[in-house]
Amino acid sequence: MPDSDSDQQMASVVHRNIESLLERRQSEERNKGVQERVADAITAFTGSMTFVYIHLVLFTGWILVNVGWLPVMKRFDPTLVILAMFASVEAIFLSTFVLISQNRMQAFADRRAELNLHIDLLAEHEVTRIIELLTAIGTKLGVAESMNPELEELRQDVRPEKVLETMDRAEQELKEE
C-alpha cells in the first residue's frame, strides 16, 4: 500500500500538471482572434438544441403559412423556393464555420500529438538509460538476468525516423499485394 508521502507527491505532480494545462488552455482562449471567437460562437450555437428548436418553429411556420394550412398571414412563398434558397445559403455558411472550427481543433490536436510524441521519445530515452544502468549494476553484481541477450536490443535508442520508414515500407507492401 502506498504511503501518504508518495500519495502527496503524486497528487502535487498531478495537481501541477492540471494547473499548467488549464493555464495553457486559458491562455490560448484569451489569444484567439475575433474571427476565431465568432466562428466558435456560431458553431457552438448552431450545434445546440436551441438552434434546432428555432429552426423547427421557423421552418414549420413558414411551410404551414405558405401551403395555406395556417392562414394568419398571406402566402409569400407558395412554391417554397425562397425557403429552399435560405436553407441552402445558411447551410453553406454553417458548413464553413464548422470547417473553420474543425481546422483549428485539428491544429490543436496535431500540437498535442507532437507533444505526446516528444514526451514518449523522452520517456523511451530515459527507460533506455535505466536499462543500461541496471544492466551494468546487474553485471557488476553477477546477476544472471543482466546477461539476457534481449537487453542489448533494449539498450538501443529508438530512432523515430527509422520507425516511420519501416511503417511506410510495410504500408507500401500491403498496398502492392
Side-chain angles (χ1 to χ4, degrees):
M1 186 162 125
D3 65 353
S4 62
D5 286 342
S6 67
D7 286 348
Q8 287 178 342
Q9 276 186 324
M10 179 58 110
S12 67
V13 168
V14 170
H15 184 69
R16 183 195 73 213
N17 289 343
I18 290 171
E19 282 184 358
S20 175
L21 292 172
L22 286 175
E23 286 174 15
R24 177 67 184 221
R25 189 177 300 157
Q26 290 168 350
S27 170
E28 288 172 349
E29 192 66 29
R30 283 190 304 269
N31 292 329
K32 279 197 303 189
V34 173
Q35 293 175 342
E36 291 173 329
R37 289 180 194 275
V38 169
D40 286 347
I42 290 171
T43 303
F45 175 67
T46 58
S48 71
M49 286 307 293
T50 302
F51 182 78
V52 172
Y53 297 142
I54 290 170
H55 276 72
L56 184 63
V57 169
L58 289 176
F59 284 11
T60 301
W62 188 302
I63 292 168
L64 292 177
V65 165
N66 286 292
V67 297
W69 292 354
L70 191 62
V72 294
M73 60 188 303
K74 184 179 174 192
R75 294 167 63 178
F76 56 92
D77 185 19
T79 60
L80 302 177
V81 170
I82 298 172
L83 176 63
M85 181 195 63
F86 276 126
S88 297
V89 171
E90 179 184 51
I92 291 168
F93 280 105
L94 292 179
S95 62
T96 302
F97 287 118
V98 168
L99 287 173
I100 290 167
S101 293
Q102 284 180 337
N103 287 342
R104 201 167 49 75
M105 289 187 320
Q106 183 61 47
F108 285 141
D110 290 346
R111 289 178 63 207
R112 281 192 304 272
E114 286 178 5
L115 174 62
N116 284 336
L117 176 61
H118 287 294
I119 290 170
D120 290 346
L121 290 172
L122 178 60
E124 185 279 329
H125 179 75
E126 291 169 348
V127 168
T128 301
R129 298 289 79 75
I130 290 169
I131 290 171
E132 208 170 80
L133 179 63
L134 289 176
T135 302
I137 292 170
T139 301
K140 181 133 181 126
L141 295 176
V143 176
E145 184 62 26
S146 64
M147 302 303 170
N148 186 328
E150 284 183 5
L151 290 176
E152 187 56 39
E153 184 179 335
L154 293 174
R155 288 172 49 185
Q156 304 301 314
D157 274 326
V158 171
R159 300 283 181 226
E161 66 278 3
K162 296 295 182 191
V163 174
L164 288 173
E165 288 172 11
T166 303
M167 289 170 58
D168 289 344
R169 265 196 316 276
E171 187 177 337
Q172 188 61 34
E173 288 171 6
L174 283 174
K175 287 180 182 177
E176 291 173 359
E177 289 180 356

